[in-house]
């Protein structure tokens, strides 16, 4: 509510400054969520060709290598107090002709409403509050997004209502940022290289070690090695995994060894990626790496990988986690949400083996 009052106080200044605005054709895209959400706005960025963006600093290592982005504002750099937020609002006010609001929380709505752009397109979702109506009155167009709307399409429709998920491809960085410091194990050609994420940003979406063990056991007849991705603070999850599976598995531990800007190129060297709903799944999908998504409580109609993907979900459990309403605890235990029965294990085995016939032939005894 505080942002409503500040916006009302700024209205006279906003109207006066609008008299002196010069059209320059600049675009501003506002999306301050995390890695997977950034990957899913890249089709819109590709459509717009050149844009500025207000993003989360979490995605800076990817955004700084994106040739569709010019000036990048990071929302965390302006959160030291209300004066800092007002200063950013004033900087944005007369700078843009087109504003696309993809992540409509209160702060982002405030920034978008303060802009004097002639074309402002706002996303509206199932978490919209009554008191945000004033901000939405400043928009020229609104795209209604539901729990069964595909986020990529909702984002694209902000720019053109006829665009669909087929209109533009996702990217992780554009062009792909290559780094010569990757571990040599990533370039092996004699094995099936499977990347895995054993944790997720939302810890409630972490796949339990007992589920991983069941999967590893079922795939043990395949020449697989598992490349474990993660931030340094995820080492505890690795220790839990080792306690259940043992260390005598074909594991390559990459936790804490790769900066985020190195991750897309590393994933591009893999044959598959397996994880719950996490940023790396969307990076892999953007790089055309086949994905096995154990989606657990997530609503996959709203957001999911769109390429070569095998979707594995819980039996008879309705989705309870959505893009704009993601709880940090669920009614069902993780062991049930991510359970793998024989049918699901067989589906994963077939998904992998069907895509690696040459490598499997090389490993069969003559």
């Amino acid at each position: 509510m505080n942002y409503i009052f500040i916006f009302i106080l700024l209205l006279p200044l906003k109207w006066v400054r609008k008299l002196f605005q010069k059209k320059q054709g600049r675009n501003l895209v506002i999306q301050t969520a995390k890695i997977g959400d950034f990957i899913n706005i890249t089709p819109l960025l590709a459509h717009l060709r050149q844009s500025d963006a207000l993003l989360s600093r979490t995605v800076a290592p990817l955004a700084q290598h994106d040739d569709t982005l010019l000036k990048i504002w990071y929302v965390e750099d302006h959160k030291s107090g209300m004066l800092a937020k007002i200063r950013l609002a004033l900087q944005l006010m007369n700078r843009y002709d087109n504003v696309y609001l993809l992540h409509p929380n209160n702060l982002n709505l405030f920034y978008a409403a303060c802009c004097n752009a002639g074309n402002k397109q706002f996303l509206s979702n199932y978490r919209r509050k009554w008191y945000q109506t004033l901000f939405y009155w400043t928009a020229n167009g609104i795209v209604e997004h539901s729990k069964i709307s595909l986020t990529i399409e909702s984002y694209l429709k902000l720019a053109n209502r006829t665009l669909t998920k087929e209109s533009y491809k996702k990217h992780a960085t554009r062009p792909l940022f290559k780094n010569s410091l990757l571990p040599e194990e990533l370039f092996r050609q004699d094995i099936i290289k499977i990347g895995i994420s054993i944790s997720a940003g939302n810890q409630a979406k972490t796949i339990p070690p007992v589920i991983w063990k069941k999967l590893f056991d079922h795939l043990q007849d395949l020449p697989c090695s598992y490349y474990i991705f993660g931030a340094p603070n995820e080492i505890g999850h690795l220790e839990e995994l080792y306690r259940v599976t043992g260390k005598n598995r074909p594991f390559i531990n990459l936790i804490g060894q790769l900066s985020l800007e190195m991750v897309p190129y590393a994933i591009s060297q893999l044959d598959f990626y397996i994880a719950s709903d996490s940023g790396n799944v969307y990076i892999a999908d953007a790089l055309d790496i086949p994905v096995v998504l154990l989606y657990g409580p997530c609503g996959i109609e709203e957001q999911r990988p769109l390429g070569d993907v095998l979707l594995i979900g819980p039996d008879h459990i309705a989705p309870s986690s959505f893009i704009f309403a993601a709880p940090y605890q669920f009614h069902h235990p993780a062991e049930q949400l991510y359970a793998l029965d024989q049918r699901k294990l067989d589906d994963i085995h077939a998904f992998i083996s069907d895509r690696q016939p040459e490598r499997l032939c090389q490993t069969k005894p003559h």
Side-chain angles (χ1 to χ4, degrees), residues 3 8 48 50 66 71-72 104 129 134 151 172 176 182 226 318 327:
Y3 296 116
I8 292 172
L48 297 175
Q50 296 286 293
D66 194 319
K71 167 74 176 177
I72 304 175
K129 306 297 183 183
L134 177 61
T151 51
L176 179 63
L182 293 182
Y226 302 96

Side-chain angles (χ1 to χ4, degrees), residues 264-281:
Y265 187 42
I267 289 178
S268 75
Q269 303 304 311
L270 301 174
D271 299 304
F272 299 92
Y273 206 94
I274 303 176
S276 61
D277 187 62
S278 63
N280 282 2
V281 159

Side-chain angles (χ1 to χ4, degrees), residues 302-316:
E302 185 179 18
Q303 186 159 290
R304 62 187 182 275
L306 297 175
D308 190 4
V309 58
L310 175 63
L311 300 170
I312 301 290
D315 296 323
H316 314 299

Side-chain angles (χ1 to χ4, degrees), residues 46 132 156 165 185 277 299 316 354:
Q132 296 173 339
L156 282 166
K165 63 181 184 297
E185 292 92 339
D277 187 62
H316 314 299
D354 289 351

Side-chain angles (χ1 to χ4, degrees), residues 36-52:
D37 303 283
F38 173 75
I39 299 299
N40 283 308
I41 75 168
T42 57
L44 173 63
L45 297 178
H47 172 74
L48 297 175
R49 297 187 180 180
Q50 296 286 293
S51 305
D52 293 0

Side-chain angles (χ1 to χ4, degrees), residues 260-295:
L260 179 55
E261 71 176 1
M262 298 168 66
V263 167
Y265 187 42
I267 289 178
S268 75
Q269 303 304 311
L270 301 174
D271 299 304
F272 299 92
Y273 206 94
I274 303 176
S276 61
D277 187 62
S278 63
N280 282 2
V281 159
Y282 294 99
I283 291 176
D285 189 47
L287 294 165
D288 296 321
I289 303 300
V291 167
V292 177
L293 175 66
L294 279 64
Y295 60 85

Side-chain angles (χ1 to χ4, degrees), residues 196-296:
I196 64 174
S197 293
I198 59 173
S199 180
N202 181 344
Q203 293 300 303
K205 296 179 184 178
T206 294
I207 300 172
V210 292
I211 304 299
W212 284 115
K213 182 180 185 303
K214 183 177 289 190
L215 178 60
F216 298 150
D217 289 345
H218 195 71
L219 299 180
Q220 64 183 354
D221 65 313
L222 301 178
C224 300
S225 286
Y226 302 96
Y227 295 73
I228 305 174
F229 287 74
N233 62 0
E234 295 179 34
I235 197 68
H237 291 285
L238 180 61
E239 293 170 354
E240 291 178 17
L241 181 69
Y242 284 161
R243 280 195 289 270
V244 173
T245 67
K247 295 185 179 181
N248 58 339
R249 302 267 183 169
F251 292 144
I252 294 92
N253 176 23
L254 299 177
I255 290 180
Q257 297 186 34
L258 304 176
S259 63
L260 179 55
E261 71 176 1
M262 298 168 66
V263 167
Y265 187 42
I267 289 178
S268 75
Q269 303 304 311
L270 301 174
D271 299 304
F272 299 92
Y273 206 94
I274 303 176
S276 61
D277 187 62
S278 63
N280 282 2
V281 159
Y282 294 99
I283 291 176
D285 189 47
L287 294 165
D288 296 321
I289 303 300
V291 167
V292 177
L293 175 66
L294 279 64
Y295 60 85

